Amino acid sequence: MRGDIQSRRLARQFYMIAAVVLALAIFALDVLSPLQGAAAVLYTTVILVAARSHDRRLIVLAGGFCFVLSLVGYYISHWGSTDDSPAMRLGVSLIAIGIATVLSARHQTMTEAGARSDARYRSIFNAAGFPIWEADWSVAHSLLKGTDQPTVAFIRDISPTSRITDANDAAARLFGLDRKEDLVGGSMEHFHTPEAEAALARIFSSLMTGQNQMEEEVRFRTHSKGAYRRRSACFGSRCRAKMDADPGNGDRRDGSKPCASKV
């Protein structure tokens, strides 16, 4: 954790120094070259460099700094000139700097909001007192496209292709494991019972008809001390998935989403 914070701090300092050096180089080019203010539009690259720091305040400061340098460069080189061309190019440059600053700052704001939302979800996910796990059934989904009605035998065949991508500690305890890391990365097939496979067949049948939420009650096997035993209790399993993917919403290319199960 401390190493990550230090790395981010060093990255921000690097991009801040790079942005200042680049801005001063463009300022020198603007003042000393015969381009008559055309070089000022290059200040937008300074804002893009500052945006790499993922620091909204640095982005805004970089935009303001470039704005001031553009005005100073125009004052030094063209103040009092009767030619209107440098003034027009300055106006275009200032507009470009403003747009680049606003867009970069807005993008960073949205990124930070998304990160906070993910952190809240992850906190709730891990602290929940009931078992939750996420499974990737993308390969199985691609195989399902070739069948009209999933059968229990078909579910049994495609189950090894699924992978548990995340789980909380309660899910590990549900399956008789000591740590959630023992569950993540594996397949659910080891915990399936005939009832679970039949429920999965019904779930996938519902998904293929366009439903995006369903609930089934199933029995799972649990792993205890190297041997599998069958739990006598029943658990409710809810799966949300989407068969027709929208790439803009983070769906997988093959048209499936992770299946989040809650017990």
Side-chain angles (χ1 to χ4, degrees):
M1 178 69 70
R2 184 175 300 178
D4 292 339
I5 294 175
Q6 184 67 20
S7 298
R8 289 195 293 269
R9 183 181 296 114
L10 291 175
R12 283 196 297 267
Q13 292 175 351
F14 170 78
Y15 286 115
M16 179 180 65
I17 294 173
V20 170
V21 171
L22 180 59
L24 293 177
I26 295 173
F27 175 75
L29 178 65
D30 186 25
V31 172
L32 301 176
S33 70
L35 297 178
Q36 296 185 346
V41 75
L42 296 177
Y43 284 118
T44 55
T45 60
V46 176
I47 300 168
L48 296 179
V49 170
R52 297 285 296 175
S53 68
H54 303 293
D55 188 330
R56 183 176 53 182
R57 189 179 69 167
L58 180 58
I59 294 172
V60 175
L61 289 175
F65 185 53
C66 293
F67 198 91
V68 171
L69 288 181
S70 297
L71 293 175
V72 173
Y74 175 80
Y75 179 81
I76 293 175
S77 301
H78 307 290
W79 187 258
S81 175
T82 57
D83 188 0
D84 294 335
S85 296
M88 294 177 61
R89 281 190 283 269
L90 172 66
V92 172
S93 299
L94 294 179
I95 292 174
I97 292 171
I99 292 174
T101 302
V102 170
L103 292 180
S104 297
R106 181 183 179 186
H107 179 269
Q108 182 58 33
T109 299
M110 295 174 62
T111 300
E112 293 174 357
R116 288 193 297 269
S117 177
D118 290 342
R120 285 194 298 269
Y121 167 77
R122 192 55 51 193
S123 176
I124 296 172
F125 183 94
N126 292 325
F130 49 84
I132 310 175
W133 66 90
E134 293 178 349
D136 182 2
W137 287 82
S138 55
V139 177
H141 172 259
S142 63
L143 296 174
L144 279 169
K145 292 180 178 179
T147 182
D148 295 330
Q149 184 70 24
T151 62
V152 172
F154 186 77
I155 294 298
R156 189 176 298 118
D157 291 337
I158 66 174
S159 291
T161 65
S162 67
R163 286 294 177 268
I164 300 173
T165 57
D166 201 359
N168 62 2
D169 291 330
R173 291 193 297 269
L174 168 70
F175 293 110
L177 300 172
D178 296 328
R179 305 177 307 150
K180 65 180 182 179
E181 288 78 12
D182 297 330
L183 189 61
V184 175
S187 172
M188 286 293 297
E189 64 166 331
H190 304 298
F191 308 103
H192 281 175
T193 61
E195 294 96 324
E197 292 170 345
L200 277 174
R202 291 192 295 271
I203 287 173
F204 282 118
S205 296
S206 299
L207 289 174
M208 294 178 69
T209 60
Q211 299 184 41
N212 59 11
Q213 180 176 331
M214 62 288 304
E215 186 171 343
E216 288 285 347
E217 193 171 278
V218 299
R219 292 177 183 265
F220 289 113
R221 292 195 303 170
T222 62
H223 184 275
S224 179
K225 297 182 179 179
Y228 286 98
R229 63 183 178 86
R230 187 172 180 172
R231 291 188 74 101
S232 58
C234 292
F235 304 95
S237 176
R238 179 172 296 175
C239 175
R240 288 184 176 90
K242 193 174 182 181
M243 300 298 284
D244 296 324
D246 181 3
N249 291 330
D251 298 340
R252 283 176 168 77
R253 291 182 179 178
D254 57 11
S256 69
K257 285 185 175 180
C259 174
S261 301
K262 180 175 71 174
V263 179

